């Protein structure tokens, strides 16, 4: 087990904020995690389990214990004519899992190529992109209850999955640490190619898992900044879902407003469009910027602090609220 004191989290958050944590603790296996859970000092301290920090905003130094898993490995635990069940350690880099599945000809996660972060966090977040969500490929999530110290194997339908959420993010549920995720992947791919951008890139090409993965990577690289080059956490806000009456009122004023159907007859509006309409695209304030190709992405231009990024986010939120009457909710988790 690795234990560090006053540890810089600069390499553990994709905004590359130089926040420090009082303690950093990395466990190698479930036995070590059990020891941590039973430790009285750990129980008394503020703690947070992180992955690669690609969805986190550290507002200041963390006066507690940051926990990180080093559990890796991918293993086929079951197989039949149609499916393969792949059990993956929580610390496996998600995109490496996608690359592996695609190389084996197993479908179900190819549209989720190049999403930063680790596999445990992917299951916590219910990552999604280009018409696919990880929940549809999840068979089980293995997780340890921080309060009872017991392990539970959650079936996908017990994980409380919704848009970028799960029971593992729900403050009303017992906190859990994810150690393994088992994916159920298809031997005969069922391609999801409804997204216009994906269709455009794939036009005239033979549709294979690798072709879809390559197309997704090309689209993402063209429109999203590489966190290694320009610190960011992807989409800063979630796409808001509003009721039809509100949407119709807005459409009278803004006939071009884009929209997608959402559950319960509601309407999803792209947050990026709302932010762009408020004039924020490409704007800079000090060391914080709104990415010039995608207004939904806030970037660290060099030496931004978490506070400054939060301030920019607040200006955006209030401008969108004033103009459209829509409350944007951050997708990024603020850590104070
Ligand atoms: C450039 C860029 C593009 C992105 N594009 C997308 C996208 O298309 N779709 C999408 O859905 N997301 C996207 N994201 C967001 C991000 O990649 C995902 O949310 C990802 O799953 C976060 O993984 P992580 O390992 O960095 O987790 P972190 O950011 O470290 O943590 C995320 C959450 O998971 C919890 N957590 C992490 N590991 C565990 C564990 N083992 N057990 C329990 N809880 C845990 C943390 O406490 C936190 O609440 C993007 C981010 C960036 C920077």
């Amino acid at each position: 087990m690795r234990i560090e004191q006053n540890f810089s989290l600069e390499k553990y958050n994709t905004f590359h904020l130089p926040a420090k944590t009082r303690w950093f603790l990395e466990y190698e296996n479930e036995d070590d995690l059990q020891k941590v859970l039973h430790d009285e000092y750990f129980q008394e301290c503020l703690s947070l389990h992180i992955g690669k920090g690609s969805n986190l905003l550290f507002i200041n130094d963390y006066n507690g214990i940051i926990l990180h898993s080093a559990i890796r490995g991918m293993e086929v635990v079951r197989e039949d004519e149609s499916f393969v069940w792949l059990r993956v350690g929580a610390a496996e880099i998600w995109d490496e899992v996608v690359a592996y599945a695609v190389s084996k000809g197993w479908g179900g996660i190819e549209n989720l190529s190049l999403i930063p972060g680790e596999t445990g966090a992917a299951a916590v977040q219910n990552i999604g992109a280009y018409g696919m969500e990880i929940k549809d490929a999840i068979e089980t999530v293995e997780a340890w209850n921080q309060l009872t110290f017991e392990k539970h194997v959650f079936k996908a339908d017990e994980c409380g999955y919704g848009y970028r959420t799960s029971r593992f993010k729900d403050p009303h549920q017992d906190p859990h640490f994810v150690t393994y995720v088992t994916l159920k992947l298809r031997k005969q791919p069922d391609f999801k190619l409804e997204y216009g951008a994906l269709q455009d890139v794939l036009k005239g090409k033979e549709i294979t898992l690798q072709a879809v993965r390559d197309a997704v990577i090309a689209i993402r690289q063209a429109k999203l900044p590489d966190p290694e080059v320009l610190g960011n956490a992807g989409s800063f806000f979630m796409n808001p879902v509003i009721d039809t009456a509100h949407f119709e009122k807005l459409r009278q004023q803004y006939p071009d407003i884009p929209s997608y159907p959402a559950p319960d007859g509601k309407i999803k509006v792209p947050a990026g469009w709302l932010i762009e309409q408020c004039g924020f695209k490409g704007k800079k304030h000090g060391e914080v910027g709104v990415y010039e190709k995608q207004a939904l992405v806030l970037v660290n231009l060099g030496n931004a602090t978490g506070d400054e990024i939060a301030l920019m986010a607040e200006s955006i939120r209030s401008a969108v609220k004033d103009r459209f009457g829509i409350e944007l909710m951050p997708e990024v988790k603020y850590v104070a």
Side-chain angles (χ1 to χ4, degrees), residues 2-26 46-69 118 227-228 231-232 300 304 306 333-336:
R2 177 177 170 201
I3 304 173
E4 309 272 359
Q5 198 173 0
N6 288 328
F7 182 74
S8 169
L9 295 166
E10 198 163 343
K11 293 199 179 106
Y12 286 86
N13 75 100
T14 55
F15 270 122
H16 304 303
L17 299 169
K20 280 192 176 153
T21 173
R22 193 154 146 216
W23 294 101
F24 179 82
L25 215 154
E26 190 172 66
L46 189 66
S47 65
L48 175 72
H49 199 304
I50 64 164
K52 278 277 176 265
S54 60
N55 200 54
L56 302 178
L57 177 65
F58 287 100
I59 300 295
N60 37 39
D61 289 345
Y62 190 72
N63 189 20
I65 301 173
I66 293 282
L67 211 60
H68 186 244
S69 165
E118 297 175 358
E228 288 311 309
N232 76 90
N300 177 0
K333 182 184 171 88
Y334 288 45
V335 185

Side-chain angles (χ1 to χ4, degrees), residues 12-15 27 48-58 67-69 90-94 111-130 142-143 164 168-169 176-180 220 224-227 230-235 297 331-333 335:
Y12 286 86
N13 75 100
T14 55
F15 270 122
Y27 57 91
L48 175 72
H49 199 304
I50 64 164
K52 278 277 176 265
S54 60
N55 200 54
L56 302 178
L57 177 65
F58 287 100
L67 211 60
H68 186 244
S69 165
E92 280 294 339
I93 299 298
W94 171 251
N111 293 26
L112 306 178
S113 290
L114 211 65
I115 297 181
E118 297 175 358
T119 304
V124 169
Q125 302 282 92
N126 186 22
I127 55 166
Y130 303 102
E142 296 169 50
R164 299 294 177 275
F168 308 111
K169 287 182 88 175
H176 280 80
F177 300 141
V178 174
T179 49
Y180 289 94
R220 294 182 70 94
L224 289 170
D226 176 356
L230 197 56
N232 76 90
S235 303
V297 178
E331 185 174 322
V332 168
K333 182 184 171 88
V335 185

Side-chain angles (χ1 to χ4, degrees), residues 210-327:
Q210 190 61 53
V212 174
R213 173 167 164 77
D214 291 346
V216 168
I217 290 174
I219 296 167
R220 294 182 70 94
Q221 284 176 336
K223 90 173 185 192
L224 289 170
D226 176 356
E228 288 311 309
V229 180
L230 197 56
N232 76 90
S235 303
F236 197 93
F237 297 101
M238 291 194 268
N239 290 320
V241 173
I242 59 177
D243 59 42
T244 343
H246 189 169
F247 178 73
E248 286 310 332
K249 221 168 129 195
L250 288 175
R251 190 152 65 171
Q252 281 173 12
Q253 221 181 331
Y254 306 96
D256 297 338
I257 185 169
S259 65
Y260 305 95
D264 305 326
K266 295 196 168 183
I267 312 279
K268 190 185 273 187
V269 181
W273 184 88
L274 299 169
I275 298 168
E276 198 175 334
Q277 295 300 304
C278 294
F280 280 95
K281 197 173 183 179
K283 277 267 158 66
K284 289 175 186 163
H285 191 269
E287 296 285 319
V288 186
V290 179
Y291 193 52
E292 70 263 17
K293 293 188 203 161
Q294 170 54 270
L296 198 45
V297 178
L298 302 191
V299 294
N300 177 0
L301 298 170
N303 297 303
T305 63
D307 254 344
E308 287 166 341
I309 295 172
L311 231 97
M312 174 69 100
E314 200 39 53
S315 313
I316 292 173
R317 259 169 73 112
S318 69
V320 168
K321 174 87 178 142
D322 286 353
R323 182 147 175 191
F324 298 102
I326 293 178
E327 196 88 56

